[in-house]
Amino acid sequence: MVRVGIVGLPNVGKSTLFNALTRAGAEVANYPFTTIEPNIGVVAVPDTRLQNLGKLIKPKKLTPTTMEFVDIAGLVKGASKGEGLGNRFLGHIREVDAIVHVVRCFTDSRISHSTDFPDPVNDLEVIEFELILADLETVGRRLEKTNRLQKGGNIQYKEEVSLLEKLKEGLEQGISARDILLSDNHRQAAKDLFLLTVKPVIYVANIGESEIGENSERVMKIKEWVSERNCGVPVVAVSARLESDIAELDPEDTVEFLKELGMGVSALDRIILASYKALDLVTFYTTKGDETRAWTVKQNTAAPQAAGTIHSDMEKGFIKAEVINFKSLIDIGSPAKARDKGLIRQEGKDYLVKDGDVILFRFSEPSKK
């Protein structure tokens, strides 16, 4: 399952946001390190296509695809050198697939801040700096080791040294690994370094309830900071406290409340979908028996591997995939009509699953000995 870590300085609203996303009831308090061991919650990915498939097919059960959100303890300046929870914090980040970086933009004298006053750009840079320092240490250790190994004349190590030197130079200039390793080949080559700043990131500006729908000056500063780096990272403005209150409402009341606020969709849904997009994920659907279900795979996943997300036997015994686009199925009105009209395609092992595919996998059952 995909894991997204919620990070930031102490008392920026990470646990409040986590509770709103997951309804998990993690402790929220006005002191650093309320969260020590990570809290983990499973969240359904918002999906109107699945709802529409449910209306068309009318299964007894609709099952959305899910993500895990992890509420990680607050980082402090000097974490890369062991300050605060230091290495434990950084270790928890290494275990997630993407990062939601929460930045405090609200003012509340009742809630302490690591500095005297919320300064979102400074807070961003503290976290970024600590993650870059941690990566720089990782790269430095590997470079020292690989330099020794390449003295034997192995070209593999020569190429690795070149990549590590490129990483070291960029990190020393304050550039994150995600903006240094721009090619898939370089990212793959650096995969076993488990770098922190190579992970996809979404910035969440935690604003006050009174600032909903406004272009807060602090939010604009975050967007300018991101824009200056040309990194294309999404910035989502959210009032974690308000979203936590909304999460307690019944679904019908939620819709009405969002309308009153002039919000078509909750900020939580935008965070989930931004995380999904940042990780380059797509959704495909299966409908079997009484259940219609959504599944998550990486972009450009081949059909047998997509089948393997359902069950390993389906990947091993893969024969073919019967595929129709979601929109085509909705337009034609039923799977039976789609089959009669020849709209369901037969795809083989080389087929790359597309977002919105509705798939029936054909596979051979493993022999029983």
Side-chain angles (χ1 to χ4, degrees):
M1 185 182 294
V2 173
R3 302 187 100 198
V4 178
I6 303 174
V7 306
L9 294 171
N11 296 334
V12 297
K14 298 183 304 301
S15 293
T16 302
L17 180 66
F18 174 81
N19 286 338
L21 282 163
T22 65
R23 302 189 183 192
E27 184 182 358
V28 178
N30 180 26
Y31 51 86
F33 312 126
T34 305
T35 303
I36 296 177
E37 291 303 321
N39 297 301
I40 300 172
V42 177
V43 177
V45 175
D47 193 343
T48 56
R49 292 182 303 196
L50 180 65
Q51 300 302 318
N52 288 333
L53 279 174
K55 292 174 185 176
L56 179 71
I57 297 168
K58 296 181 174 57
K60 290 182 179 177
K61 185 178 182 183
L62 274 182
T63 306
T65 189
T66 57
M67 307 173 71
E68 276 188 357
F69 277 85
V70 185
D71 179 21
I72 298 173
L75 178 148
V76 297
K77 189 174 183 179
S80 59
K81 303 299 181 185
E83 292 294 326
L85 295 176
N87 295 330
R88 289 174 72 184
F89 170 91
L90 298 171
H92 293 147
I93 296 180
R94 293 189 200 283
E95 296 171 0
V96 301
D97 301 300
I99 296 169
V100 167
H101 182 168
V102 182
V103 186
R104 179 171 170 174
C105 293
F106 66 88
T107 303
D108 189 333
S109 59
R110 297 167 298 175
I111 300 176
S112 63
H113 189 266
S114 55
T115 58
D116 291 336
F117 198 79
D119 181 343
V121 170
N122 178 71
D123 292 358
L124 279 168
E125 291 177 344
V126 166
I127 298 283
E128 191 81 2
F129 182 70
E130 293 300 329
L131 298 184
I132 285 174
L133 280 182
D135 281 352
L136 195 53
E137 186 177 341
T138 299
V139 169
R141 286 198 304 267
R142 177 64 72 86
L143 183 57
E144 185 179 329
K145 177 182 176 182
T146 310
N147 266 323
R148 291 197 304 268
L149 292 169
Q150 78 159 339
K151 289 178 181 178
N154 190 321
I155 191 171
Q156 170 196 337
Y157 295 120
K158 185 176 180 181
E159 291 173 354
E160 186 176 329
V161 164
S162 176
L163 178 60
L164 289 167
E165 286 177 340
K166 178 180 179 179
L167 269 168
K168 184 172 183 287
E169 181 182 355
L171 290 166
E172 286 175 339
Q173 294 173 19
I175 303 170
S176 65
R178 78 181 68 87
D179 296 322
I180 300 169
L181 302 172
L182 297 177
S183 74
D184 289 339
N185 287 340
H186 280 169
R187 290 194 178 221
Q188 190 61 35
K191 195 171 182 180
D192 68 341
L193 290 171
F194 301 103
L195 297 175
L196 302 173
T197 64
V198 80
K199 296 179 185 292
V201 62
I202 299 96
Y203 294 115
V204 171
N206 188 8
I207 60 177
E209 296 175 45
S210 62
E211 296 173 303
I212 294 292
E214 297 181 5
N215 288 321
S216 159
E217 181 181 348
R218 290 176 183 153
V219 175
M220 294 307 296
K221 283 183 178 179
I222 294 173
K223 291 182 177 179
E224 287 168 12
W225 185 87
V226 170
S227 178
E228 286 170 3
R229 285 153 181 75
N230 297 314
C231 54
V233 174
V235 178
V236 181
V238 53
S239 170
R241 183 177 293 177
L242 179 62
E243 293 290 340
S244 185
D245 291 341
I246 292 173
E248 298 300 319
L249 299 175
D250 292 331
E252 298 80 8
D253 295 333
T254 298
V255 173
E256 288 302 314
F257 192 49
L258 290 174
K259 282 181 181 178
E260 289 177 17
L261 294 172
M263 298 165 59
V265 63
S266 81
L268 299 183
D269 286 355
R270 287 190 283 126
I271 292 170
I272 295 166
L273 294 174
S275 303
Y276 202 77
K277 184 176 180 180
L279 283 161
D280 201 22
L281 302 174
V282 298
T283 301
F284 72 91
Y285 306 91
T286 59
T287 182
K288 183 77 172 175
D290 292 332
E291 182 180 28
T292 295
R293 181 165 182 168
W295 304 86
T296 298
V297 291
K298 279 276 190 182
Q299 186 90 24
N300 296 322
T301 296
Q305 285 69 57
T309 63
I310 302 172
H311 198 288
S312 58
D313 286 346
M314 295 175 70
E315 180 175 357
K316 292 173 186 173
F318 179 88
I319 299 172
K320 64 180 178 180
E322 298 180 1
V323 185
I324 184 171
N325 174 266
F326 159 82
K327 187 175 185 306
S328 298
L329 179 56
I330 293 296
D331 288 346
I332 197 68
S334 75
K337 289 179 182 177
R339 196 171 293 280
D340 290 343
K341 295 284 185 180
L343 297 176
I344 298 179
R345 311 185 310 276
Q346 310 293 311
E347 301 286 1
K349 293 182 178 180
D350 295 332
Y351 178 69
L352 302 180
V353 172
K354 307 291 188 301
D355 187 48
D357 279 348
V358 182
I359 307 177
L360 174 63
F361 292 105
R362 299 292 186 185
F363 64 102
S364 57
E365 298 278 358
S367 58
K368 295 181 180 179
K369 295 182 181 180

